[in-house]
Amino acid sequence: MQKFKTLTGIAAPLNMINVDTDMIIPKQFLKTIERTGLGKHLFDEMRYDPETGEEKPNFVLNKPQYRNAEILVAGDNFGCGSSREHAPWALLDFGIRCVLAPSFADIFYNNCFKNGIVPIKLPRELIDTLMEKAERGSNATFTVDLEKQVITDPDGTEISFEMDAFRKHCLLNGLDDIGLTLQNKGKIDTFEGKQGAGQPWLYREAS
């Protein structure tokens, strides 16, 4: 998992509440188990005309000033609906590494941390202010400093945010569940060595 320490990027305003995971990545794109290639289908039904397949020019991520957005400012209950992990995969593959919202659905929120996306909860009044500032287009550059737990908006205003210490540690060090397990590789190898000596049949390859 890619480490997250400090991110400076354009913030795109998605002024909608209850954005569910089927809106983020529709069900027809869930056949793959690959984490790449999903970015082009992010918000597919909102980004593309279903009849022509052409981009809808009014959708925020289709606007030239937001095509390279790395931060998303969204409304309440972002990521609700089904528990598909493809939702954070699609966001990350598009280039979104941080989502700011008043609240998130629990499963989506947890999946973000497991995939290197930083979901930050802020009071609704602050989100409303940041949403307005994000509407400045390519001038809407935000900096998210995870180590200091501070967001700096385009006007230089600093906003502190809360972050669970363990999740922060994992993001800063690029540790997903597999990475956390591999931190104990020495102990695992020692255990398997002892077990293999006493119960060698457990480690024989099937013929």
Side-chain angles (χ1 to χ4, degrees), residues 144-156:
V144 180
D145 189 325
L146 182 59
E147 289 185 296
K148 295 180 180 178
Q149 294 181 207
V150 169
I151 299 166
T152 304
D153 72 17
D155 296 326

Side-chain angles (χ1 to χ4, degrees), residues 18-142:
N18 300 321
V19 173
D20 65 33
T21 51
D22 193 55
M23 295 166 70
I24 296 171
I25 183 71
K27 58 186 180 299
Q28 61 267 33
F29 303 113
L30 304 185
K31 297 175 183 178
T32 181
I33 57 172
E34 299 293 330
R35 300 188 183 200
T36 57
L38 290 171
K40 62 185 176 183
H41 302 302
L42 179 69
F43 298 117
D44 190 87
E45 294 175 1
M46 291 190 282
R47 282 172 71 190
Y48 304 105
D49 186 297
E51 294 183 3
T52 66
E54 298 294 319
E55 289 186 352
K56 297 179 181 179
N58 290 331
F59 183 68
V60 60
L61 295 180
N62 289 338
K63 296 179 179 180
Q65 59 268 42
Y66 296 114
R67 286 186 177 272
N68 296 315
E70 295 178 88
I71 299 166
L72 195 63
V73 186
D76 275 302
N77 201 27
F78 189 84
C80 57
S82 66
S83 61
R84 62 193 70 174
E85 196 168 5
H86 293 67
W89 291 357
L91 285 163
L92 194 61
D93 194 57
F94 180 87
I96 302 295
R97 299 211 59 211
C98 178
V99 182
L100 313 178
S103 62
F104 295 88
D106 287 343
I107 295 175
F108 173 83
Y109 185 73
N110 292 327
N111 281 339
C112 282
F113 290 106
K114 295 176 184 292
N115 289 280
I117 295 176
V118 181
I120 298 175
K121 299 177 184 178
L122 293 172
R124 188 174 292 104
E125 315 82 69
L126 276 177
I127 289 294
D128 289 343
T129 299
L130 295 178
M131 192 80 70
E132 291 179 6
K133 294 185 178 184
E135 290 171 356
R136 298 177 187 177
S138 56
N139 293 321
T141 301
F142 289 56

